[in-house]
């Protein structure tokens, strides 16, 4: 029976916190695994052949329960009558009438009403070969991916269409790559699927209700770290397509600007879409792996920046009464002692006096390497230029210190402050990983 969705209400804010780890769908919990939506506007001629062909294909090839939902976007021809007739004739077909146009609005409405764990859509012209449908949704059923898209721009895709549409499609995807750093290959192909648990959190963040809906959904999902599976498709262009290319392209460019600005200002709460890293149980069997690399890098950079400022100030001070080499040695020695002490406490979390002298001695060895780099740079400068200016000396020294920074961090992490899971100083790291494992098990 044809149904009309209730009046639109403000979307519920999704719960805070990351998504649980992906799992294979528990198929016994739902009779309908897949809901394929066909958004239509004034498609009285193509609708019935499309639905019957899709139904025959799914009944023959899809091993789980499915439903086909016709989303009528305020059609003014006989499309609602055709949809109602198909609804009555086929049990797996449902017709939904919307009083406003917009493909994005139709998908958002129907997907929100659906109870199927996998949600998909395709264009009514069936330009995409239906043999790609099962490969499209299989990664979502298995728990491998969060979203899946058909790609006409993949190397193994086979596409028949005119040069105008080919040029527009490839240009648009180049714009997405250049402006929004998108890595998916085909944003506009009308052949996509998403897990319902992901859609519940993702769709309230998508503002567009028209053709840019797909692109916005994919960009936000990719920026949040969700996995997007791409399926090469065989695609034949429908020359009767009623899509207004210029207006659609203009709206898409406006959408690119809006989404890019929102991402740049951090206005989107993408943390609500994050998946925990390490779904594979084997990740928890690895022991003795140093923790907190990101935190250590941040701490090391902060300490290094402050040490560099201290070094430059001391060098300028010592240079007033000494030569360049002597001023460099004195400034580097004092800043190295402070750098080692600060990294010991703040970056690598080593507390107390245990091995403090040893750490300072090892830090001095690292200092000697830095001294060799900076002194060698000054010697090279003196050999290349007679009486270099003070500003030139400082520039050379900054460059030499930057070159030594990476090596200094590696030596600190691997030699001066190596990770020891049995040492009390690293108890917190071990406890943090245990707590993370417990939360992951609870989520499962």
């Amino acid at each position: 029976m044809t149904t009309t969705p209730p009046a639109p209400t403000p979307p519920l804010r999704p719960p805070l916190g990351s998504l649980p780890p992906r799992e294979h769908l528990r198929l016994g919990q739902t009779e309908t695994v897949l809901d394929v939506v066909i958004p239509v506007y004034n498609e009285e001629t193509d609708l019935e052949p499309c639905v019957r062909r899709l139904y025959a294909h799914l009944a023959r090839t899809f091993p789980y329960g499915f439903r086909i939902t016709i989303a009528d976007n305020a059609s003014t021809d006989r499309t609602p009558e055709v949809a109602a007739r198909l609804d009555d004739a086929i049990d797996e077909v449902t017709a939904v009438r919307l009083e406003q146009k917009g493909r994005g609005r139709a998908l958002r409405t129907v997907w929100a009403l659906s109870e199927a764990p996998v949600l998909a859509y395709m264009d009514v012209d069936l330009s995409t070969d239906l043999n790609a449908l099962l490969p499209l949704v299989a990664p979502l059923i298995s728990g491998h991916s969060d979203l899946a898209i058909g790609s006409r721009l993949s190397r193994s895709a086979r596409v028949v269409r005119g040069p105008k549409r080919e040029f527009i499609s490839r240009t648009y995807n180049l714009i997405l790559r250049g402006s929004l750093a998108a890595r998916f290959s085909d944003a506009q192909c009308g052949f996509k699927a998403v897990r319902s648990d992901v859609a519940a959190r993702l769709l309230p963040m998508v503002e567009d209700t028209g053709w840019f809906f797909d692109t916005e959904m994919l960009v936000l999902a990719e920026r949040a770290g969700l996995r997007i599976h791409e399926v090469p498709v065989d695609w034949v262009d429908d020359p009767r397509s009623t899509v207004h290319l210029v207006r659609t392209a203009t709206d898409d460019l406006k959408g690119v600007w809006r989404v890019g600005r929102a991402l740049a200002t951090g206005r989107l709460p993408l943390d609500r879409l994050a998946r925990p890293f390490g779904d594979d149980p084997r990740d928890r069997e690895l022991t003795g792996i140093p923790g907190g690399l990101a935190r250590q890098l941040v701490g090391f950079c902060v300490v290094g920046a402050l040490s560099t400022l201290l070094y430059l100030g001391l060098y300028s001070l010592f240079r007033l009464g000494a030569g360049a080499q002597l001023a460099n040695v004195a400034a580097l020695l004092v800043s190295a002692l402070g750098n080692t002490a600060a990294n010991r406490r703040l970056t690598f979390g080593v507390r107390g006096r245990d091995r403090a002298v040893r750490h300072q001695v090892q830090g001095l060895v690292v200092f000697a390497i830095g001294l060799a780099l900076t002194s060698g740079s000054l010697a090279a400068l003196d050999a290349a230029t007679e009486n270099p200016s003070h500003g030139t000396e400082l520039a050379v020294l900054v460059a030499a210190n930057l070159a030594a920074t990476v090596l200094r961090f590696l030596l600190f992490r691997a030699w001066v402050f190596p990770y020891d899971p049995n040492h009390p100083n690293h108890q917190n790291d071990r406890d943090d990983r245990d707590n993370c494992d417990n939360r992951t098990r609870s989520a499962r």
Side-chain angles (χ1 to χ4, degrees), residues 249-291:
T250 302
D251 291 341
D252 286 348
L253 292 177
K254 292 179 180 178
V256 169
W257 168 255
R258 174 177 54 80
V259 172
R261 184 174 56 184
L263 291 173
T265 58
R267 187 166 53 87
L268 296 169
L270 298 180
D271 56 311
R272 298 177 184 174
L273 301 173
R275 290 281 194 191
F277 180 78
D279 293 348
D280 193 330
R282 291 173 296 181
D283 293 343
R284 296 193 297 274
E285 297 174 1
L286 301 177
T287 59
I289 301 300

Side-chain angles (χ1 to χ4, degrees), residues 67-378:
R67 179 168 61 246
I68 301 172
T69 301
I70 304 170
D72 176 20
N73 290 267
S75 294
T76 58
D77 62 358
R78 294 180 56 254
T79 297
E81 300 174 21
V82 177
R85 185 168 65 248
L86 290 167
D87 189 329
D88 294 336
I90 305 174
D91 292 339
E92 289 82 0
V93 174
T94 300
V96 176
R97 168 76 176 181
L98 291 93
E99 299 303 330
Q100 292 178 290
K101 292 179 60 177
R103 183 175 70 174
R105 179 180 289 107
L107 293 176
R108 185 200 309 275
T109 302
V110 175
W111 281 352
L113 296 173
S114 180
E115 297 179 355
V118 177
L119 310 169
Y121 94 89
M122 62 178 57
D123 293 335
V124 69
D125 56 16
L126 293 186
S127 295
T128 304
D129 182 26
L130 292 178
N131 287 328
L133 182 55
L134 184 55
L136 182 79
V137 302
L140 308 186
I141 295 174
S142 69
H144 175 271
S145 301
D146 300 293
L147 299 92
I149 65 174
S151 175
R152 299 162 298 183
L153 303 182
S154 174
R155 289 185 177 181
S156 55
R158 296 186 295 178
V159 177
V160 179
R161 60 176 167 180
K164 180 180 178 180
R165 286 182 176 270
E166 181 75 12
F167 174 78
I168 292 175
S169 180
R170 292 190 178 275
T171 301
Y172 180 64
N173 281 279
L174 286 175
I175 292 174
L176 292 181
R177 289 177 179 271
S179 60
L180 299 178
R183 295 189 300 273
F184 49 84
S185 66
D186 193 350
Q188 295 176 311
C189 182
F191 192 69
K192 296 182 176 68
V194 59
R195 287 175 62 108
S196 62
D197 57 342
V198 174
R201 298 196 184 189
L202 176 59
L203 296 187
M205 301 183 193
V206 180
E207 296 183 17
D208 191 81
T209 59
W211 292 96
F212 187 70
F213 174 87
D214 303 51
T215 301
E216 186 170 358
M217 178 179 67
L218 291 175
V219 169
L220 298 187
E222 187 175 73
R223 285 299 185 95
L226 299 180
R227 180 174 293 158
I228 301 175
H229 179 73
E230 296 198 17
V231 178
V233 297
D234 296 343
W235 196 86
V236 179
D237 187 20
D238 182 4
R240 299 172 300 167
S241 175
T242 58
V243 177
H244 194 288
L245 294 180
V246 176
R247 183 172 62 246
T248 300
T250 302
D251 291 341
D252 286 348
L253 292 177
K254 292 179 180 178
V256 169
W257 168 255
R258 174 177 54 80
V259 172
R261 184 174 56 184
L263 291 173
T265 58
R267 187 166 53 87
L268 296 169
L270 298 180
D271 56 311
R272 298 177 184 174
L273 301 173
R275 290 281 194 191
F277 180 78
D279 293 348
D280 193 330
R282 291 173 296 181
D283 293 343
R284 296 193 297 274
E285 297 174 1
L286 301 177
T287 59
I289 301 300
L293 176 59
R295 177 183 57 80
Q296 290 178 358
L297 281 172
V298 172
F300 180 81
C301 290
V302 172
V303 172
L306 295 176
S307 298
T308 300
L309 293 177
L310 175 63
Y311 164 78
L312 293 175
L314 292 173
Y315 176 82
S316 298
L317 179 63
F318 296 154
R319 189 68 174 86
L320 297 176
Q325 292 289 0
L326 182 59
N328 175 57
V329 171
L332 196 55
L333 177 60
V334 175
S335 60
L337 294 174
N339 181 279
T340 300
N343 275 309
R344 183 177 187 271
R345 176 64 179 85
L346 301 177
T347 303
F348 298 96
V350 180
R351 300 170 177 84
R353 299 180 179 179
D354 182 35
R355 297 186 291 183
V357 175
R358 174 185 173 184
H359 290 157
Q360 283 292 354
V361 172
Q362 291 174 309
L364 289 176
V365 174
V366 178
F367 150 76
I369 297 175
L371 176 62
L373 288 173
T374 54
S375 297
S377 300
L378 286 175

